[in-house]
Amino acid sequence: MSKMIDEETIENVCILAKLSLNEEEKKKAREDMQRILDYVEKLEELDTGNAEPLSHIFGDKNVFREDIVTNDDAREAMLFNAPRAKEWQYQVPKTIL
Amino acid sequence: MKQYEAVIGLEVHVELATKTKIFCGCSTEFGGAPNTHTCPVCTGMPGSLPVLNKKVVEFALKAGIAANCKVSRYCKFDRKNYFYPDNPQNYQISQLYLPICRNGWVEIETSAGKKKVRIHEMHMEEDAGKLIHDEWEDCSLVDYNRSGVPLIEIVSEPDMENAEEVIAYLEKLRCMMQYLGVSDCKLQEGSMRADVNLSVREAGTRAMGTRTEMKNLNSFKAIARAIEGERERQIELLETGRAVMQETRRWDDNKESSYTMRSKEDAKDYRYFPDPDLPPIHISEAWINDVCASIPELREEKQERYQKKYGLPAYDAGLLTESRALSELFEETAKVCGNAKKAANWFMGEVLRLMKEKSLEPEQLRFSPGHLADLILMVEKKEVSAQNAKRVFERVFEEDIDPVAYIEEQGMKIVEDTSLLNDVLNRILDENPGPFSELLGGKEKVFGFFVGKLMKELRGKASPDTVREALAKEIVKRS
Ligand SMILES: [Zn+2]
């Protein structure tokens, strides 16, 4: 039996992911997450003792770019999608450190 | 009261001096208009793909190797997840599981002597954007020009005990980074930032106390004050039977006190996981060797060489190597004039004096070492008086004028013209019979009167030494 997803875990995940779910949605999310864990548990049945840990799915390595400036000022295009902007800056709700 | 000791470890962020950001071709130039150095990658647009700047790896390797670290032959990037508007992707690309360098050390020197501070690890990561509070509309404004600027985070072991050691450690790192050319490490501009982890324990005990992390320290003075303040705060808590809470505190240097930013209860759960966009990095033996070969002579080696090869005192060697820029100017001057001691005297005297007077950093010096060398040689050959040479050097220092031509133009060049000297000498002596008889009578003071008169008349065409010598001979002759 895999770890049970309890109420507390769902609450914590909601806080971390900044989600506000109603009771119905929480119940659904709990079932979905439980299914994911059960699936992972199924995978654990395989003996992977001799396999190297996989860190990247393509097996690529050392993909680099040279240190050359290629981008111009594109702030108009960049700010085009911003819901609110002011003086070429993204305007967001008051955030204090 | 019991005796306490502080246990301090540092997390230092250093902004790397690459031309472009870590994962995109945007410029890292400081001070551009808001959002002029941004693109879909560094603003976290969906579907954009980060590609690693090779120079970042090279710089991180340089820093790690110079700090005696072990290089991870295989390393990769992880995502650190958190929501904050300065972080447009909602995750920061960093290294948790396999940082590029580990287990190093640097040596620091304080009034208590030399000491090693161990480096736990160094890892590569990206910087965040900048938030400004808009009072007018009571909102925040975000500029992503700094978002994606490459950083290395240098994590020390808790090997320091007081502010003096911490500052010596930071100075050491800063000097090392500047010599390596990987960062300019300006605390005020934020290209070097330090978070201080501090706990206290009863002196002589080994168990670690509960530590706090202090942020927002942007000058060496603020760091020293914050360490003293936090040490006292924790001792006060323990003395009154209260507990130190594990928390992050923000230092307010104006109020000289700190306040809680976040406590352990709401400590963030960053849910790190490997970044699938970035393939891992394999660092070959050959690559490490190349980087090793590119590491320049660092300060300690230079100091030693200056003492051994040039015969300079330790104090002078220390000052001349404080920055790579200054040491290079000095070495070039010494090479051209062929006299390291004389060159060192000029740097220790005039160069440092003028830098202080005009509040210039070594990197801002614009005179060519060849010009200073020419001036030194002219003084050596007695072609210009030491006093005039200092005056000429001020022009060299400021405008990099050619001192040889300038001295010629200004008629400061000493030409040892013996017939002219004899003519003037005889004339002056004849014109001043009174003082001359006093001189013959043994009145020493009058000697200076005649030297002054002669120098004025000769307008620098003879050196004071020659004039003194000629006058002395004439006295003997006429008495
Ligand atoms: Zn960009």
Side-chain angles (χ1 to χ4, degrees), chain A residues 24 40 66:
Chain A
E24 187 65 23
V40 172
E66 294 304 314

Side-chain angles (χ1 to χ4, degrees), chain A residues 55 62 65 67 86 88 90, chain B residues 20 35 52 74 134 142 282:
Chain A
S55 64
N62 294 2
R65 33 172 282 275
D67 187 26
K86 185 180 175 182
W88 298 106
Y90 299 80
Chain B
T20 62
N35 293 303
L52 180 58
Y74 177 83
D134 181 14
V142 200
H282 286 241

Side-chain angles (χ1 to χ4, degrees), chain A residues 71, chain B residues 21 23-27 37-43 147:
Chain A
N71 301 341
Chain B
K21 293 185 177 181
F23 299 121
C24 62
C26 290
S27 167
H37 305 317
T38 63
C39 74
V41 173
C42 56
T43 54
S147 168

